[in-house]
Amino acid sequence: MASTPAGNRRTRVHVVSDVHGNARDLATAGDGADALICLGDLVLFLDYADHSRGIFPDLFGTENADRIVELRTARRFEEARDFQTRLWAGIGADRASAIREAVRKQYAELFAAFPAPTYATYGNVDMPALWPEYAGPGTTVLDGERVEIGGRVFGFVGGGLRTPMRTPYEISDEEYAAKIEAVGEVDVLCTHIPPEVPELVYDTVARRFERGSRALLDAIHRTRPRYALFGHVHQPLARRMRVGATECVNVGHFASSGRPWVLEW
């Protein structure tokens, strides 16, 4: 990491999202930057490109992972839930502990890879209750909060909205809107999910619209931040577009690219 910004020299921030277990590239994601920003989804439950990777295939095998991806891609969510229920029944009462143990193992490696300073918020597949165990002194966790970096104010809102996928950190539209309201006017608005704009929420590979936030879109129109940064949609129809005065940017699927998005001023 570069040293703390001083005087009139330029500030450089690297931004990542949807890390999904890529600790190797995360360890160098902050190289040359004054700060690293992480917009969540550290955990890898299931890699849709490689069904042998993640917590799900570790517990149930690649063949069952193939099947769950097939059902979800076909939007047969009820069948997918029934299929998972039968698999989890084989683990029984140990389900929660099995998941937490696997997530803790991933978090230990991923948080150790964060450079200092890192500013991070949660994704929809993250488990916020576990983060205090792993976030070191160089990592600041923010959700519905603001921080100043290089003279600009950054606001952070984590998590996702409720979907049929039922990922771990999905919250109500009302709770999400309250966090957006708490952030208020900022220069850069950092969230895990995108604003509710069709081009930004449509995943061209999964062939479905992911959930974006109407409250986030309204805040962008109302408060006019310079940038709105987010991830969540891995293969978006549009990675970047202007909404009013705001440049909206999907910073990329870091798990596959291994490259941060760069913001410099």
Side-chain angles (χ1 to χ4, degrees):
M1 300 288 286
S3 59
T4 302
N8 295 321
R9 76 172 182 83
R10 296 182 68 79
T11 299
R12 181 183 176 99
V13 171
H14 290 180
V15 189
V16 301
S17 185
D18 299 270
V19 175
H20 294 302
N22 189 352
R24 182 192 62 186
D25 291 320
L26 187 61
T28 58
D31 288 358
D34 297 291
L36 178 71
I37 289 174
C38 180
L39 303 182
D41 271 11
L42 297 181
V43 172
L44 179 62
F45 276 97
L46 178 57
D47 188 335
Y48 276 61
D50 180 354
H51 304 168
S52 68
R53 297 182 64 243
I55 294 172
F56 190 92
D58 286 349
L59 292 174
F60 302 118
T62 303
E63 184 176 340
N64 286 323
D66 290 340
R67 179 58 175 163
I68 203 69
V69 170
E70 178 187 1
L71 291 172
R72 287 179 175 176
T73 302
R75 301 186 64 80
R76 293 156 60 185
F77 295 121
E78 289 294 338
E79 289 181 62
R81 279 196 292 271
D82 290 343
F83 181 65
Q84 287 187 92
T85 297
R86 291 194 298 273
L87 292 175
W88 284 113
I91 293 180
D94 292 333
R95 171 178 177 170
S97 60
I99 293 175
R100 283 181 174 265
E101 182 179 348
V103 170
R104 281 194 166 98
K105 182 179 179 180
Q106 291 189 15
Y107 277 165
E109 183 179 13
L110 291 160
F111 276 90
F114 276 144
T118 291
Y119 302 93
T121 196
Y122 317 113
N124 59 291
V125 303
D126 285 311
M127 294 186 173
L130 298 181
W131 280 35
E133 296 181 31
Y134 300 99
T139 299
T140 302
V141 179
L142 301 139
D143 189 16
E145 299 165 284
R146 301 146 56 104
V147 68
E148 184 177 318
I149 305 172
R152 288 189 177 179
V153 178
F154 288 68
F156 291 78
V157 174
L161 298 176
R162 289 176 181 156
T163 71
M165 305 288 278
R166 297 182 183 178
T167 51
Y169 191 45
E170 295 180 354
I171 60 177
S172 70
D173 290 61
E174 293 75 17
E175 185 178 352
Y176 194 89
K179 293 195 293 185
I180 292 287
E181 184 68 23
V183 165
E185 294 187 14
V186 295
D187 297 304
V188 184
L189 186 51
C190 300
T191 59
H192 177 67
I193 62 173
E196 193 179 79
V197 176
E199 295 89 341
L200 298 176
V201 300
Y202 186 73
D203 191 306
T204 60
V205 174
R207 293 177 296 174
R208 64 170 179 256
F209 290 95
E210 303 291 354
R211 283 215 65 190
S213 169
R214 170 59 61 174
L216 173 56
L217 179 60
D218 291 344
I220 289 170
H221 283 298
R222 185 176 67 254
T223 66
R224 299 163 60 90
R226 294 172 187 253
Y227 292 92
L229 308 180
F230 48 87
H232 186 57
V233 182
H234 293 178
Q235 298 91 14
L237 185 62
R239 293 194 175 276
R240 185 168 186 157
M241 65 184 294
R242 293 195 72 83
V243 173
T246 302
E247 191 75 15
C248 296
V249 182
N250 184 319
V251 301
H253 181 219
F254 186 77
S256 61
S257 74
R259 297 188 304 273
W261 186 79
V262 178
L263 178 62
E264 193 170 14
W265 66 94

